[in-house]
Amino acid sequence: MSDLDYDVTGSGPVLLIIPGGAGHPMGLGPLTEHLAPHFTVVTYDPLGLAHGRLGDTFADQRVADWSEGAHRVLEEVLAEGDSAYVFGTSAGGIAALDLLARRPARLRHVIAHEPPCVTLLPDGDRLRAELIGQLDGGRPDSGEVTPFSVFLAHVLRPFTTYRPQAGLPRLTVAAGTDSRGQLLHRTAESIARHTGGTFTEFPGSHLGTLEHPGSFADRIAQIFAE
């Protein structure tokens, strides 16, 4: 029995979604519903938070572990010789970049939406410290374990030090139209230049998948069709 946690819906070519935060697919239902008529949507849950593991004890996460898990998911769901589209947002976008660097053979095209690889910027170390400080300021004080608390404790710091590989094939790096002038829009543009990927904009902000699921899904489908 597989130790991987993921959900499958829809029909058509495989589209692997790697959520942001701690990988919990919360709120992505409307997006997957809009994509399901066009794709077999496979939503990966790297830590199993939506599959009964929220109460587990977690170590600091490694990008390579998430991307290798995503590769193993694709090995389970893809037919022999087939390939998949991949969409990752935020921390999931970082995992998608690493997956493309390590396992490009079975990937048709990857969209990385606002991956917070902020240390790629010239002033990245300072900006990373500020970003972590801002997010830590929103940490709940209740002691309750939530996907957000897992993200703050075990994902944010290790993932924001990730530097993507240069010269990645079949890559689109995206930022939200409402993120213009903000750190992660600037970061996405820098990642596109560094990797040789195409830069584009999506509806909404960093949480565009939740804010505008219909138009966001349309944009995903449009890019993969191109």
Side-chain angles (χ1 to χ4, degrees), residues 9-203:
T9 186
S11 60
V14 171
L15 166 54
L16 176 69
I17 293 181
I18 311 177
H24 193 301
M26 62 176 65
L28 292 182
L31 178 72
T32 59
E33 288 174 11
H34 281 93
L35 290 168
H38 313 288
F39 301 95
T40 299
V41 183
V42 181
T43 307
Y44 178 38
D45 180 3
L47 299 182
L49 299 184
H51 294 80
R53 301 186 184 181
L54 185 57
D56 289 1
T57 300
F58 299 102
D60 286 350
Q61 295 299 293
R62 298 174 64 249
V63 174
D65 290 340
W66 281 34
S67 67
E68 184 59 24
H71 171 70
R72 290 173 57 212
V73 169
L74 291 179
E75 289 295 303
E76 288 194 5
V77 300
L78 284 173
E80 184 176 354
D82 203 356
S83 56
Y85 298 108
V86 178
F87 170 80
T89 184
S90 192
I94 293 178
L97 290 170
D98 196 63
L99 175 63
L100 182 58
R102 294 172 182 270
R103 303 284 193 171
R106 304 207 73 179
L107 308 184
R108 295 189 184 189
H109 196 95
V110 169
I111 300 173
H113 176 256
E114 297 204 5
C117 304
V118 294
T119 57
L120 193 62
L121 299 170
D123 50 350
D125 289 337
R126 176 183 63 82
L127 293 169
R128 176 176 175 269
E130 292 178 357
L131 176 64
I132 290 173
Q134 291 168 3
L135 291 174
D136 272 340
R139 184 194 293 267
D141 295 327
S142 65
E144 179 185 4
V145 178
T146 66
F148 185 62
S149 70
V150 174
F151 167 69
L152 289 177
H154 300 296
V155 179
L156 175 62
R157 286 171 175 80
F159 273 52
T160 49
T161 63
Y162 180 81
R163 295 177 65 88
Q165 178 179 302
L168 292 175
R170 304 183 301 280
L171 172 65
T172 297
V173 185
T177 54
D178 295 342
S179 297
R180 291 173 185 167
Q182 299 177 14
L183 172 60
L184 294 185
H185 194 286
R186 179 185 167 203
T187 301
E189 291 178 304
S190 178
I191 293 169
R193 289 192 297 269
H194 176 74
T195 59
T198 300
F199 176 78
T200 192
E201 290 187 326
F202 269 64

